[in-house]
Amino acid sequence: MSFFSKLYSVYRFTSPVEILTKVAKQFVLFLLFTIAFFPFYKKAIFSGSAIALYLSLLLLVILIFKSLLFFYIKKYRLITGNNFRNTVIIGYTREAIDLKNIFENRPDYGYHFKGFFSDKKENENIIGKSDVIKEFCLTEKIDEIYCSLNEISNDKLKDLILFTDQNKIELKFIPDTKAI
């Protein structure tokens, strides 16, 4: 049931409303399976009030536990500075700048933005060109690379995919509104 309701697919950017929705879905599924079980199991006595009490207590405990854990991890990340993901962005587009602003304005997500790389543009925000990104990722222990597809050639992209696979770095793509 947990697999199908995707209850445990909670990420850094998951909102509390999404968590409540997932708990509600799992609760309804569990309720249906519990009620459906009793007609096949003849030795148990079906008590609607006992099942309602059990499921209500179970829902309350799960909601309290999930909420406390969710908020604790966010506070832990902010207070201790641990559990952060180091990120870089390849490309200097409007979408990439918006993503950088999210990283900087939402510290509770747990991302440390290290800088931009671009072959097409140069300014004070860009650390370097795409040929130095491998060395930078290894020395700075980068966890995730976000790549704007219109800023990198296909050959460099294939090379980057191979590099990220070998070094267990996540590679994510920033959609370009024109290319969609």
Side-chain angles (χ1 to χ4, degrees), residues 110-128:
Y111 290 101
H112 275 263
F113 176 68
K114 297 291 187 173
F116 288 104
F117 290 86
S118 179
D119 291 337
K120 294 184 176 183
K121 297 177 183 166
E122 290 184 20
N123 64 35
E124 68 276 355
N125 296 322
I126 298 172
I127 295 174

Side-chain angles (χ1 to χ4, degrees), residues 35 41 44 52 59 67 73 75 77 80 83 87 94 104 110-111 114 124 127 148 150 167 180:
I35 292 172
Y41 190 67
L59 177 65
S67 300
I73 289 174
K75 288 291 183 193
R77 207 178 278 136
T80 64
N83 195 13
T87 62
R94 185 177 53 81
E104 291 178 346
Y111 290 101
K114 297 291 187 173
E124 68 276 355
I127 295 174
S148 180
N150 61 352
N167 293 289
I180 292 175

Side-chain angles (χ1 to χ4, degrees), residues 83-101:
N83 195 13
F84 276 91
R85 310 269 299 165
N86 293 323
T87 62
V88 294
I89 298 176
I90 298 175
Y92 195 75
T93 62
R94 185 177 53 81
E95 293 85 4
I97 294 168
D98 290 343
L99 181 61
K100 178 200 108 161
N101 291 335

Side-chain angles (χ1 to χ4, degrees), residues 8-156:
Y8 300 107
S9 299
V10 177
Y11 305 101
R12 297 170 180 271
F13 47 83
T14 304
S15 70
V17 174
E18 288 179 73
I19 292 174
L20 289 174
T21 304
K22 290 178 185 215
V23 170
K25 283 180 188 177
Q26 188 180 29
F27 176 74
V28 169
L29 282 174
F30 189 71
L31 174 69
L32 292 174
F33 281 123
T34 304
I35 292 172
F37 170 76
F38 283 102
F40 298 107
Y41 190 67
K42 301 293 182 189
K43 294 180 183 176
I45 299 171
F46 181 75
S47 170
S49 60
I51 290 176
L53 178 65
Y54 168 71
L55 289 174
S56 299
L57 288 175
L58 185 65
L59 177 65
L60 184 66
V61 168
I62 290 173
L63 279 175
I64 290 171
F65 179 74
K66 291 289 284 185
S67 300
L68 289 175
L69 186 64
F70 179 75
F71 290 112
Y72 170 76
I73 289 174
K74 282 193 176 244
K75 288 291 183 193
Y76 170 79
R77 207 178 278 136
L78 290 172
I79 292 171
T80 64
N82 291 334
N83 195 13
F84 276 91
R85 310 269 299 165
N86 293 323
T87 62
V88 294
I89 298 176
I90 298 175
Y92 195 75
T93 62
R94 185 177 53 81
E95 293 85 4
I97 294 168
D98 290 343
L99 181 61
K100 178 200 108 161
N101 291 335
I102 290 172
F103 291 155
E104 291 178 346
N105 295 333
R106 295 297 308 261
D108 56 318
Y109 286 172
Y111 290 101
H112 275 263
F113 176 68
K114 297 291 187 173
F116 288 104
F117 290 86
S118 179
D119 291 337
K120 294 184 176 183
K121 297 177 183 166
E122 290 184 20
N123 64 35
E124 68 276 355
N125 296 322
I126 298 172
I127 295 174
K129 303 223 178 268
S130 63
D131 15 339
V132 297
I133 194 163
K134 292 179 185 178
E135 181 182 320
F136 184 84
C137 288
L138 294 175
T139 57
E140 293 293 322
K141 297 179 180 166
I142 299 299
D143 299 302
E144 294 181 9
I145 298 173
Y146 291 85
C147 182
S148 180
L149 292 176
N150 61 352
E151 289 266 338
I152 192 167
S153 69
N154 285 341
D155 292 334
K156 286 186 180 183

